[in-house]
């Protein structure tokens, strides 16, 4: 039977409209960006602006240069590579650019909130490099422990950044540790890049030798990645002959990618331009405000949270003392129209398919413009679900979720409701 793709994509859009996504690793791609530059994906032009391996590239050179300028302005960076198709690809290209096979990496343990691409055992990075990890201590980054690990391991690269850590990170201290042991520092800010661009959390740009991010998690852009560098962009690392920015350019192309997607680059440029606006800053403030209300409501209802709260968009609930598991809460909430994801917590004794935690994020509900009462209602529903809501209560919860979705439609921007 032939699949009706038009029907399926329409249903997907309707589903997004009719559900509340509190998934921390996601945002929204606005229609005006999604529809932008539709014809550019058919352009083939390997290389970089001014140095292409195909003819007829002058216009896409201009587009890529505009995107580079927007990225540098948005993050106050000295260097930007905008071709990476994902942040994972940006990370891998950075490793290959700055390291030799067998070099040592020190990164946050995946089970404590790190990311697959930071050298988890199943990743390609773990097959090429000697990966060591640091855990959280009492659920937070203990810099004395990180320093001890770094002194013991003597890594060539330290990675800071996480996929499940709700607190802000002190990049300055990470740089001090990296300098002490002669390591380069990579900051992956995929989860907080919008907050960084808005100046609401510390920027790593001039502390890390290299900074990477995705463009879809919190920048409300297309799926893709960026590689950035600040004052160290022209530093020549030990055992290398070229500065960091040249090494990374060559590491991405021809190292790991061929032709870039110029539609994606044009969409990144538009998203990065908008990330420099007052409206974007207001949206990021709403992201923080809703996350803190969510956290405060959970705490007031007796739920445990990793680190006890949040400094970012993320709230990580600890279910180890509850009767339900992460996968069960995820499924129950999905049945009433709330989308979250099960997540490991530090020292979790359950598998990644089950987990003792649930991760929440407020990027999408901030975009929809939810108010304080609505996010409090959602938090109360979550608590009730964890405490074993009855079928009648779940039906009432579904009606509340439906009402919030209608009140705050997905096409409404933060600028409309500030």
């Amino acid at each position: 039977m032939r699949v009706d793709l038009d029907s399926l994509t329409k249903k997907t859009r309707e589903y997004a409209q009719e559900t509340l996504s509190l998934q921390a690793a996601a945002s929204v791609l606005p229609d005006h960006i999604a529809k932008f530059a539709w014809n550019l994906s058919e352009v083939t032009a390997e290389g970089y602006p001014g140095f292409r391996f195909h003819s007829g590239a002058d216009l896409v050179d201009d587009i890529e240069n505009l995107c580079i300028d927007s990225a540098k302005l948005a993050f106050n960076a000295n260097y930007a590579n905008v071709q990476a198709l994902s942040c994972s690809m940006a990370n891998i290209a950075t490793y290959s650019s700055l390291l030799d096979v067998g070099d040592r990496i020190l990164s946050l343990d995946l089970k404590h909130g790190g990311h697959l691409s930071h050298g988890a055992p199943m990743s390609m990075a773990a097959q090429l490099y000697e990966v060591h990890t640091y855990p959280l201590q009492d659920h937070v980054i203990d810099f004395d422990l990180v320093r001890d690990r770094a002194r013991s391991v003597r890594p060539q690269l330290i990675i800071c950044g996480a996929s499940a850590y709700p607190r802000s990170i002190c990049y300055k201290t990470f740089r001090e540790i990296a300098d002490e042991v002669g390591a380069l520092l990579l900051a992956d800010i995929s989860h907080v890049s919008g907050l960084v661009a808005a100046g609401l959390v510390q920027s790593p740009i001039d502390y890390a030798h290299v900074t990477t991010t995705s463009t879809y998690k919190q920048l409300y852009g297309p799926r893709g990645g960026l590689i950035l560098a600040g004052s160290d962009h022209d530093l020549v690392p030990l055992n290398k002959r070229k500065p960091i920015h040249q090494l990374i350019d060559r590491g991405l192309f021809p190292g790991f990618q061929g032709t870039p997607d110029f539609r994606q680059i044009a969409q990144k440029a538009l998203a990065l331009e908008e990330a420099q606006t007052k409206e974007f800053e207001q949206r990021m403030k709403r992201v923080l405000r809703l996350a803190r209300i969510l956290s405060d409501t959970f705490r007031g209802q007796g739920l445990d949270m990793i680190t006890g709260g949040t400094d970012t968009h993320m709230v990580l609930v600890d279910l180890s003392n509850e009767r339900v598991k992460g996968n069960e809460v995820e499924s129950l909430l999905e049945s009433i129209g709330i989308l979250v994801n099960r997540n490991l917590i530090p020292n979790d004794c359950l598998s990644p398919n089950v987990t003792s935690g649930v991760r929440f994020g407020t990027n999408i509900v901030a975009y929809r413009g939810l108010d304080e009462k609505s996010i409090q209602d959602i938090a109360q529903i979550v608590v009730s679900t964890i405490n074993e809501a009855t079928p009648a209560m779940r039906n009432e919860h579904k009606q509340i979720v439906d009402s919030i979705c209608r009140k705050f439609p997905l096409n409404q921007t933060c600028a409309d409701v500030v």
Side-chain angles (χ1 to χ4, degrees):
M1 179 181 298
R2 182 176 179 180
V3 177
D4 186 344
L5 288 176
D6 285 340
S7 175
L8 288 175
T9 54
K10 181 181 178 181
K11 289 179 180 178
T12 300
R13 189 175 183 87
E14 291 172 350
Y15 183 73
Q17 190 69 253
E18 296 166 0
T19 54
L20 284 177
S21 175
L22 287 163
Q23 294 174 327
S27 66
V28 174
L29 181 64
D31 281 348
H32 70 282
I33 297 180
K35 296 174 181 177
F36 185 64
W38 60 268
N39 60 311
L40 291 181
S41 285
E42 60 196 45
V43 177
T44 297
E46 291 178 335
Y48 290 101
F51 302 94
R52 302 291 187 185
F53 291 86
H54 300 81
S55 59
D58 289 351
L59 293 178
V60 292
D61 278 6
D62 291 342
I63 290 169
E64 185 166 343
N65 281 325
L66 283 171
C67 188
I68 290 169
D69 289 343
S70 292
K72 289 161 68 175
L73 285 171
F75 291 98
N76 195 27
N78 296 88
Y79 159 81
N81 185 307
V82 301
Q83 291 193 9
L85 297 176
S86 69
C87 187
S88 292
M89 182 61 72
N91 287 337
I92 292 168
T94 300
Y95 308 155
S96 71
S97 302
L98 304 181
L99 301 177
D100 296 323
V101 172
D103 277 355
R104 293 179 296 279
I105 292 174
L106 180 63
S107 62
L108 179 62
D109 192 315
L110 178 66
K111 294 181 180 179
H112 286 243
H115 191 263
L116 280 168
S117 67
H118 297 173
M122 65 290 293
S123 71
M124 188 182 78
Q127 314 307 312
L128 296 175
Y129 308 104
E130 183 182 318
V131 179
H132 299 261
T133 61
Y134 55 90
L136 299 180
Q137 192 72 23
D138 296 326
H139 295 171
V140 297
I141 295 173
D142 182 330
F143 284 106
D144 289 336
L145 187 152
V146 176
R147 184 176 285 104
D148 287 344
R149 288 288 176 94
R151 288 170 175 172
S152 173
V153 171
R154 310 301 295 189
Q156 280 74 40
L157 179 70
I158 296 176
I159 303 174
C160 57
S163 64
Y165 186 69
R167 293 298 183 178
S168 58
I169 293 175
C170 183
Y171 303 108
K172 180 177 183 290
T173 306
F174 266 109
R175 177 57 184 263
E176 290 170 353
I177 295 171
D179 285 346
E180 179 183 337
V181 300
L184 295 172
L185 181 63
L186 168 64
D188 181 341
I189 60 169
S190 288
H191 269 279
V192 296
S193 54
L195 297 174
V196 171
L200 300 178
V201 297
Q202 186 184 75
S203 170
I205 294 297
D206 283 326
Y207 292 117
H209 294 88
V210 180
T211 298
T212 58
T213 182
S214 58
T215 48
Y216 70 91
K217 281 189 175 73
Q218 204 175 57
L219 292 173
Y220 302 88
R223 289 191 172 268
L226 302 174
I227 307 175
L228 307 163
S231 55
D232 287 320
H233 72 288
D234 56 358
L235 176 73
V236 179
L238 290 175
N239 303 321
K240 302 294 180 182
R241 297 181 178 180
K242 295 181 179 180
I244 284 174
H245 68 93
Q246 291 184 18
L247 292 170
I248 289 176
D249 278 351
R250 188 170 181 82
L252 187 63
F253 172 82
F256 279 91
Q257 285 186 185
T259 304
D261 184 342
F262 291 102
R263 178 184 185 182
Q264 184 194 78
I265 289 174
Q267 291 176 339
K268 287 177 185 178
L270 187 54
L272 289 164
E273 184 178 288
E274 294 186 0
Q276 300 170 57
T277 64
K278 189 67 176 178
E279 290 78 13
F280 184 86
E281 180 185 346
Q282 291 301 317
R283 185 188 300 165
M284 288 297 101
K285 288 180 177 178
R286 182 180 293 275
V287 164
L288 291 179
R289 187 160 62 249
L290 294 183
R292 288 165 186 167
I293 293 170
L294 193 68
S295 174
D296 290 346
T297 307
F298 286 160
R299 186 188 302 110
Q301 294 296 313
L303 285 186
D304 292 330
M305 287 171 292
I306 300 303
T307 77
T310 182
D311 298 323
T312 65
H313 68 302
M314 189 185 302
V315 178
L316 186 54
V317 171
D318 180 355
L319 299 172
S320 56
N321 294 322
E322 306 293 340
R323 62 169 189 83
V324 289
K325 308 293 189 294
N327 63 327
E328 295 170 330
V329 173
E330 179 187 277
S331 180
L332 287 168
L333 290 176
E334 183 180 4
S335 72
I336 60 171
I338 299 175
L339 306 181
V340 299
N341 77 280
R342 60 189 180 276
N343 209 94
L344 293 172
I345 62 172
N347 303 310
D348 205 328
C349 61
L350 300 178
S351 75
N353 291 325
V354 181
T355 80
S356 299
V358 181
R359 185 176 64 164
F360 299 81
T362 53
N363 295 331
I364 294 177
V365 290
Y367 183 90
R368 296 181 78 139
L370 265 69
D371 56 22
E372 181 173 333
K373 182 181 183 306
S374 296
I375 200 68
Q376 288 174 333
D377 288 344
I378 294 301
Q380 295 286 358
I381 289 172
V382 171
V383 173
S384 178
T385 299
I386 292 173
N387 292 336
E388 196 171 8
T390 65
M393 292 169 66
R394 288 199 295 272
N395 183 57
E396 180 182 341
H397 295 161
K398 181 70 170 72
Q399 294 177 24
I400 294 172
V401 172
D402 290 345
S403 175
I404 293 173
C405 288
R406 289 192 298 271
K407 184 177 181 181
F408 301 100
L410 194 53
N411 60 356
Q412 186 177 33
T413 67
C414 185
D416 295 324
V417 294
V418 168

